[in-house]
Amino acid sequence: MKILAFESTCDETAVAVVEDGRKILTDQIFSQADLHAVYGGVVPEIASRCHVESISLLAQRAIEAAGIGKDEIDAVAVSYAPGLIGAVLVGVNFAKAVSLALNVPLIPVHHIRGHIAANYLAYPELEPPFLCLAISGGNTLLVDVKDYTEMEILGQTRDDAAGECFDKTARVLGLPYPGGKPIDDLSKGGDDSKYVFPIGHVADHPYDMSFSGLKTAVINLVHNAEQKGEELDRASLAASFTKAVSDSLVPRTIAAAREKGRDKLVVAGGVAANSRIRADFKAAAEENGLTLFVPPLRLCGDNGAMIGAQGYYEFLAGTRAQSDLNAFATMDLDASYGE
Ligand code: KG4
């Protein structure tokens, strides 16, 4: 079954064709990051307008690159939540029009379920159940994935997402947006014990996380140093900051996997590209006898293929949207469409 999949929840316009949830026939991505970099973050209206400009061309290119005719498309999948509402609306409306024109089913896909499904594309042997940490620019969630479409949220951030924390730390250090990769690069060779940063805990909710205290600690450190005219060791600051994020994520994820009795651990989302976090997960998984799955770098960030992968399993589970499908800025990952 071939699914034409659309992703437009933030600053990537992406269109893919995926076969049977596991095989990428094409994965076209247009990143707007350069457009937003001058503002230090995503400007929602610019993102929406840019999606409008690029989505038709990208869809045409995807069909050509997949080497298929329009009549070979069996269904259309679209990321309908969560995200920047104006941006999501562009993808949803375009996908509705395509599904109507081709007279094929329309499958709504939760964006974070898509990030999780990126791992199905990279690892043919991976099947639920497993424990998943989804870490992206807008979301940080610990999820028990019981089945392809049945999930339970065990914990989540109470404030900033992990990726947001990377981006804000990068900003205060004068690094470009998006800041995750520049911080990753800067941290290499730094001493991760030089600066001690707080790790957030939420009373009585061991799997919930908090990153705003860490963000404030970095901002205060940088501003204090500026006021006193002191030079900071930037590489060590980036390394110490990344260690604090990793220490906040890895032990919690391992504890959740043990509590749920899962032997497979999946990491998903843009922040899963971080080299320190990947290394810490690898070591922790080995130590605890867990099999670790982390997407290759090209599938960590937003892409259309992950929506096509999850779309396939949503289709098998009977999930269908009608012509009144709407876009949502927020949406629980564990809610089925229409609930
Ligand atoms: O999953 P994603 O592409 O978009 C959302 O769905 O939000 O994630 C983007 C986030 C950004 O915050 C970016 O700074 C972060 O992923 N990121 C990284 C790295 N590469 C991207 N964070 C840490 N280390 C990286 N190497």
Side-chain angles (χ1 to χ4, degrees), residues 26 42-43 68 90 95 99 112-113 117 120 122 129 165 173 176-177 200 248 258 260 266 280 288-289 303 339:
T26 186
V42 179
V43 182
I68 57 167
V90 176
S99 115
I112 301 297
R113 288 190 182 202
Y120 302 140
C165 200
L173 289 175
Y177 171 84
S248 188
R258 292 174 75 108
K260 289 285 166 186
V266 169
D280 286 355
N288 289 275
N303 62 85
E339 269 179 4

Side-chain angles (χ1 to χ4, degrees), residues 174-198:
L175 296 169
Y177 171 84
K181 172 90 171 57
I183 294 229
D184 201 346
D185 295 341
L186 178 63
S187 68
K188 305 231 163 92
D191 171 5
D192 68 6
S193 60
K194 179 148 185 179
Y195 301 99
V196 179
F197 290 119

Side-chain angles (χ1 to χ4, degrees), residues 314-329:
E314 298 287 348
F315 179 86
L316 294 184
T319 312
R320 303 283 187 279
Q322 304 307 322
S323 55
D324 61 350
L325 175 66
N326 211 336
F328 298 87

Side-chain angles (χ1 to χ4, degrees), residues 111 115 136-138 163 166-167 178-181 184 269-271 273-274 300-302:
H111 175 75
H115 272 302
S136 70
F166 269 97
D167 294 338
K181 172 90 171 57
D184 201 346
V271 183
N274 185 269
C300 286
D302 289 349

Side-chain angles (χ1 to χ4, degrees), residues 1-78:
M1 174 181 190
K2 294 184 185 68
I3 295 183
L4 180 68
F6 294 92
E7 159 61 42
S8 71
T9 58
C10 192
D11 59 347
E12 264 91 26
T13 320
V15 186
V17 180
V18 175
E19 191 165 26
D20 297 336
R22 297 276 177 166
K23 189 175 171 202
I24 302 174
L25 300 188
T26 186
D27 192 13
Q28 304 284 325
I29 304 174
F30 175 69
S31 173
Q32 312 170 359
D34 289 350
L35 280 176
H36 300 286
V38 281
Y39 304 99
V42 179
V43 182
E45 184 174 332
I46 294 178
S48 310
R49 289 177 181 277
C50 193
H51 287 308
V52 168
E53 285 170 0
S54 358
I55 199 162
S56 314
L57 185 64
L58 224 52
Q60 269 170 9
R61 259 197 216 155
I63 293 168
E64 277 165 28
I68 57 167
K70 290 189 187 117
D71 55 339
E72 289 176 76
I73 295 166
D74 299 300
V76 170
V78 61

Side-chain angles (χ1 to χ4, degrees), residues 51-279:
H51 287 308
V52 168
E53 285 170 0
S54 358
I55 199 162
S56 314
L57 185 64
L58 224 52
Q60 269 170 9
R61 259 197 216 155
I63 293 168
E64 277 165 28
I68 57 167
K70 290 189 187 117
D71 55 339
E72 289 176 76
I73 295 166
D74 299 300
V76 170
V78 61
S79 189
Y80 78 112
L84 299 172
I85 194 64
V88 192
L89 275 166
V90 176
V92 164
N93 225 24
F94 194 87
K96 279 206 265 191
V98 175
S99 115
L100 195 68
L102 299 181
N103 195 25
V104 294
L106 177 64
I107 312 162
V109 176
H110 190 287
H111 175 75
I112 301 297
R113 288 190 182 202
H115 272 302
I116 298 171
N119 284 279
Y120 302 140
L121 297 163
Y123 304 104
E125 73 280 18
L126 176 64
E127 287 177 6
F130 53 78
L131 206 288
C132 178
L133 174 72
I135 32 177
S136 70
N139 298 271
T140 301
L141 293 164
L142 257 177
V143 189
D144 188 30
V145 180
K146 299 168 196 282
D147 207 339
Y148 289 103
T149 57
E150 198 194 331
M151 307 182 192
E152 180 191 354
I153 297 174
L154 303 176
Q156 53 191 311
T157 180
R158 293 290 183 104
D159 37 59
D160 293 348
E164 212 174 329
C165 200
F166 269 97
D167 294 338
K168 287 187 179 149
T169 295
R171 192 171 176 167
V172 79
L173 289 175
L175 296 169
Y177 171 84
K181 172 90 171 57
I183 294 229
D184 201 346
D185 295 341
L186 178 63
S187 68
K188 305 231 163 92
D191 171 5
D192 68 6
S193 60
K194 179 148 185 179
Y195 301 99
V196 179
F197 290 119
I199 294 170
H201 294 279
V202 181
D204 301 327
H205 295 273
Y207 298 133
D208 278 351
M209 293 155 266
S210 165
F211 293 100
S212 67
L214 170 60
K215 178 186 71 184
T216 307
V218 176
I219 292 171
N220 287 345
L221 180 77
V222 173
H223 286 171
N224 279 338
E226 276 168 8
Q227 278 163 8
K228 291 183 191 156
E230 288 171 5
E231 186 100 355
L232 284 168
D233 174 351
R234 288 162 62 86
S236 296
L237 196 161
S240 305
F241 161 78
T242 308
K243 177 185 186 309
V245 176
S246 186
D247 287 351
S248 188
L249 299 171
V250 179
R252 275 190 176 90
T253 309
I254 300 289
R258 292 174 75 108
E259 188 191 316
K260 289 285 166 186
R262 302 297 184 212
D263 57 3
K264 285 176 270 184
L265 201 62
V266 169
V267 188
V271 183
N274 185 269
S275 56
R276 167 73 193 255
I277 294 172
R278 290 171 91 94

